[in-house]
Amino acid sequence: MPWYGFIHPLLSIVTLGLGLVTAQTSLSKISDWDFPLRRQRGRTIVFFMLCVANFAIGLFVNVALRDIHKGVKITGHLPLSIVVLVAAFLATLVTFARGRPGETPPIMRWHAVLSIAALAVILTMGFLGGLSLL
């Protein structure tokens, strides 16, 4: 496999790490009065942008490998990546909700659920990619 074939898995691991930090913070601090909403919003936007970059690089690598007749066909990988994009986008939208001063907006409780759903699908895609190497 050419060197650029390894960019996508490495970026996926970085995305997974940031998503884990974001989801863990959202789960553990949601009931606190000092919930770091601005920091979570920033992290979630970066997480979403990493998901978009991962999607684009994954498509690029697949097309580039197909052009040299070494394309990788992973069943379900593309639809799952679209699910990740939708979940990450919705988690990003949730962070823009406004609440009363000193209160976390009630819709923010969905942030952790959407982040964990995106992470679970990212892990599933990783397992599918690993199984395709066998």
Side-chain angles (χ1 to χ4, degrees):
M1 184 182 313
W3 64 271
Y4 54 80
F6 296 102
I7 295 173
H8 178 61
L10 291 176
L11 188 61
S12 297
I13 292 170
V14 170
T15 305
L16 184 66
L18 180 67
L20 285 172
V21 169
T22 305
Q24 189 271 335
T25 304
S26 189
L27 275 174
S28 65
K29 303 275 271 174
I30 193 69
S31 298
D32 292 353
W33 64 273
D34 63 343
F35 184 77
L37 187 58
R38 284 188 181 161
R39 190 176 308 143
Q40 278 298 93
R41 184 179 304 132
R43 281 185 190 144
T44 307
I45 290 170
V46 171
F47 175 66
F48 175 65
M49 293 310 224
L50 281 173
C51 288
V52 170
N54 222 343
F55 180 77
I57 289 175
L59 283 178
F60 166 74
V61 167
N62 195 20
V63 169
L65 289 176
R66 196 178 317 137
D67 286 345
I68 61 171
H69 305 292
K70 293 184 179 182
V72 179
K73 179 67 176 157
I74 303 173
T75 306
H77 207 71
L78 183 63
L80 288 176
S81 64
I82 293 170
V83 170
V84 169
L85 286 176
V86 169
F89 179 71
L90 291 176
T92 304
L93 282 181
V94 164
T95 61
F96 287 99
R98 299 280 182 212
R100 285 184 246 144
E103 277 188 20
T104 305
I107 197 167
M108 198 53 194
R109 301 207 181 273
W110 284 98
H111 182 264
V113 173
L114 292 166
S115 298
I116 291 171
L119 291 172
V121 176
I122 289 173
L123 281 173
T124 303
M125 290 169 38
F127 287 127
L128 283 175
L131 285 176
S132 71
L133 295 175
L134 295 177

